[in-house]
Amino acid sequence: MSTPPLIAVATHHGSIAELLADAEFRSLANRDGFLIELRLDYFEDLCEATLAQALEVFAPNVLATYRCLEEGGKRQNVSDSERIHYLQLCADRGVKFIDIEARTPREGFDLRGAKLISSFHNFDRTPDDLESIWNSMAQQRDVDFIKIAVMPQTVFDTRPLLEILRKHGPRSILLAMGESGLWTRILAGRYGSPLTYARGESAPGTAPGQLTWRQLDELYRFREIGADWQVYGVIGNPVGQSLSPLIHNAALKQRSLSAVYLPFKVELRPAEFVKKFEPLGLRGLSVTIPHKEAVLPACDSLDPLAEKIGAVNTLVWDANFSIRGYNTDAEAAADSLQSALGPMAGKNVAVLGAGGAGRAVAFGVKSRGANVFICNRTPEKAQALLRDVGATVTGFDTLAQQKIDAIVNTTSLGMSPNVAESPLTESQIPPGCVVFDTVYNPRRTRLLELAQARGCRIVEGVEMFIAQGARQFELWTGQKAPVELMRQAVLAQLK
Ligand code: ATR
């Protein structure tokens, strides 16, 4: 078996003094499976004496980098030879990895047993000719690993990285930055790459896409992911706030399955994404806003309920790589609402939103005998749903004048980070009805706060979220989902 990949935790500290005072980084020093990436260009107190102090603590499990300005380095007016001088001190001290940009001359540099990472960065875009960049870097003298870090505009820009990983994984460290490139960090080991990068938990800035070492290690089980692992995930936009990775990875780990679940930020063309990224090892996907209808062309077949709804939230690959679409929202929503409303037959239920989630909820409550009312910003979409499910269309403004027993929000209004938004104002909420928000992050949305102020009973989206996720897990794995574990994972996060 090949060696598991390493997690290189990058220093973010402005000085070596600050780094040496950081208990988190000291606790990672020489911890099995980890490296500290010393970013020498960040340290304003860098000199031979302070570097020696840092190496005393962290060597040999160090990746030493002194980035040049042109490729994202922090320090002005420093010559190549000075940078090489400091990296040579690191090599002399026996560090395991040295990163030198492909463009930096390094005549006379003596690796002394360190592995050389030749690197290339583009912080603006993903160049078209990645393969030829890789090939020319591979021809350089003494290069052990080739690091290419690029900035994708969309997830589709990351597809060429997969080609290179499949051909040259064990020699490559390929990174697509930002949220669109998250898979390149998590799945590096699946292709035999030697390492990936992470940030410290105390590092400032939480740009989406930058994972902490603990997320990689504990949530994604980064070091265990091998070539035979199955890949699951959620496609949507936004996905940064989704708690699906949390519940599904917890469940997969608890069941000791060789599978990992990733967030994929997909802005457009979800069906094309499914086809193009299937070679990642995809065996199942959750589908969220705004793709529950647009993803339909990717399905080879549909479960009858999903077909009736005309929207899916779950894709399942079978052993022949045929993709079947399911909708686990409808039942989950009806169960959640019923727990507060009781038997639904003859009750008037208003559904806010007529997208994929709205359609699923409308079918779910209709199948239990409720009279369905639809409110939607775009009237044509409400009309289509009215035809398909047999509902009454009504306006957000006129809702409060009608006899409504329950309201279900299926729009994304109020979802983190836009927590101040609400589909209804307080006076638009019919007094005395049950208000159920399918948005679960935050738990107590603005709509639910307004409903409470209005004296309404409320239903949080968490239980529906867990129920639809548990059903997905069962469709993918054929095993019963550890529901209580999934619930605890969500509640701990939303506390
Ligand atoms: P999903 O498939 O997950 O339901 P969707 O198809 O994009 O996602 O549906 C999102 C729903 O939220 C739609 O009903 C949308 O209304 P439109 O049909 O008018 O687009 C609704 N929605 C999103 N943003 C909204 C906003 N700012 N105000 C009112 N409704 C909004």
Side-chain angles (χ1 to χ4, degrees), residues 168-182:
H168 309 294
R171 277 199 83 193
S172 302
I173 303 169
L174 300 191
L175 277 180
M177 293 177 267
E179 219 180 343
S180 302
L182 208 61

Side-chain angles (χ1 to χ4, degrees), residues 133-169:
I133 294 174
W134 195 97
N135 285 330
S136 69
M137 289 169 77
Q139 278 156 25
Q140 288 184 324
R141 186 174 49 87
D142 295 337
V143 170
D144 293 291
F145 301 111
I146 291 143
K147 175 186 173 189
I148 299 181
V150 295
M151 180 60 83
Q153 303 304 314
T154 75
V155 72
F156 292 103
D157 291 346
T158 69
R159 187 60 180 77
L161 277 67
L162 176 58
E163 279 327 302
I164 302 179
L165 283 169
R166 290 166 88 187
K167 276 196 218 156
H168 309 294

Side-chain angles (χ1 to χ4, degrees), residues 287-294 311-312 329 352-359 375-379 381-382 396 409-413 421 423:
V287 183
T288 189
I289 282 181
H291 299 322
K292 289 177 178 178
E293 293 161 277
V312 297
D329 282 334
L352 311 183
R359 294 183 64 89
C375 290
N376 196 53
R377 178 179 58 182
T378 310
K381 267 164 102 181
F396 291 91
N409 174 44
T410 72
T411 75
S412 51
L413 294 171
E421 295 178 350

Side-chain angles (χ1 to χ4, degrees), residues 72-127:
K74 279 267 195 293
R75 189 176 276 231
Q76 313 263 356
N77 305 322
V78 55
S79 65
D80 286 343
S81 59
E82 187 181 345
R83 292 191 299 115
I84 290 292
H85 168 70
Y86 277 99
L87 291 173
Q88 185 66 63
L89 293 176
C90 294
D92 293 346
R93 186 65 177 70
V95 307
K96 289 196 174 153
F97 294 88
I98 306 267
D99 174 332
I100 302 178
E101 306 78 24
R103 71 165 84 201
T104 302
R106 52 182 165 81
E107 276 81 51
F109 189 81
D110 184 351
L111 282 162
R112 296 188 184 268
K115 298 286 183 202
L116 178 65
I117 301 172
S118 175
S119 63
F120 167 86
H121 306 77
N122 187 320
F123 292 97
D124 300 321
R125 59 187 192 92
T126 308

